[in-house]
Amino acid sequence: MTKTEERRRNVFQYIADYLDENGYPPSYREIGSAVGIPSTSTVSADVHALIEKKVLSMDRNSYRSLQIIRVPDGDQSNRLTSSYNIRDDVFDIPVFGPVAAGAPIYADDHVEESIPLPSSFFHNDGADYFILEIHGESMIEAGIYDGDHVIVRKQDYARNGQQVVALIEDSATVKTYYQHKDHIELRPENASMDPILVKDCRILGIVSGLYRLY
């Protein structure tokens, strides 16, 4: 067995054990940390290699939807794969980032992890959600602090006074939205900072919740 084959067997084993214990699959970062792989891109390559071998499956529309199809060839564990069921009381929300809550910065849309949250947190309206990590202090008076994760409902419109994720050219920012007659105001919730005034911007979603660990 080559080192790559051994590493991928360990990746498979960790995913299977994690599913057994939690009822939903691990993130790439959790896999890498457990198996000793520092790069999430290497974890991704290993997972997709296992998918190509048809021992794992993954819904491309869900970032943490890995399921066991069968054990790898030569695995003597006699692992039963029919018992792996994804929990329907948990939504796996993809984490995007980073996004500035101060000066806008480029928002990388590559998802490397996700956070499972109870489905009871969300309205049963078929909406999609994502999570953004906040960097900066422009929203502190709204109770959103540097390092917080905001839960965002995907939509392309907003009402005045709603906190939004807005895309300005290549930069995304979290601000309070106000539509004026001849411009849009993206207002920070920090009295020491000036608002961003633009003719137009793209709304990526509205902030609907906050996820924070103390």
Side-chain angles (χ1 to χ4, degrees), residues 173-187:
T173 187
V174 177
K175 296 290 184 292
T176 303
Y177 175 89
Y178 291 96
Q179 174 72 62
H180 297 282
K181 183 177 180 180
D182 58 352
H183 69 277
I184 293 171
E185 176 187 1
L186 299 173
R187 185 182 301 174

Side-chain angles (χ1 to χ4, degrees), residues 81-196:
T81 63
S82 60
S83 62
Y84 296 113
N85 297 309
I86 303 302
R87 292 173 54 180
D88 59 8
D89 61 339
V90 172
F91 287 165
D92 203 58
I93 311 299
V95 179
F96 290 73
V99 168
I105 62 173
Y106 179 73
D108 178 11
D109 64 357
H110 176 68
V111 176
E112 291 187 347
E113 63 178 325
S114 57
I115 296 177
L117 295 174
S119 57
S120 59
F121 279 17
F122 305 92
H123 298 295
N124 186 22
D125 58 3
D128 290 328
Y129 292 83
F130 60 95
I131 292 175
L132 290 172
E133 182 176 351
I134 298 298
H135 294 274
E137 299 184 343
S138 74
M139 299 299 286
I140 58 174
E141 292 171 13
I144 301 175
Y145 299 99
D146 183 53
D148 281 349
H149 290 79
V150 291
I151 302 168
V152 183
R153 185 186 192 276
K154 288 184 180 180
Q155 61 182 61
D156 59 4
Y157 62 92
R159 299 190 304 272
N160 283 353
Q162 288 186 314
Q163 293 159 7
V164 304
V165 179
L167 189 68
I168 307 170
E169 295 181 351
D170 289 336
S171 300
T173 187
V174 177
K175 296 290 184 292
T176 303
Y177 175 89
Y178 291 96
Q179 174 72 62
H180 297 282
K181 183 177 180 180
D182 58 352
H183 69 277
I184 293 171
E185 176 187 1
L186 299 173
R187 185 182 301 174
E189 298 297 336
N190 184 331
S192 67
M193 296 184 177
D194 295 327
I196 299 172

Side-chain angles (χ1 to χ4, degrees), residues 17-18 24 32 39 50 54 69 139 142 150 161 186-187 202:
D17 290 341
Y18 193 102
Y24 55 87
S39 169
L50 292 168
K54 300 188 182 304
I69 298 176
M139 299 299 286
V150 291
L186 299 173
R187 185 182 301 174
R202 178 185 171 193

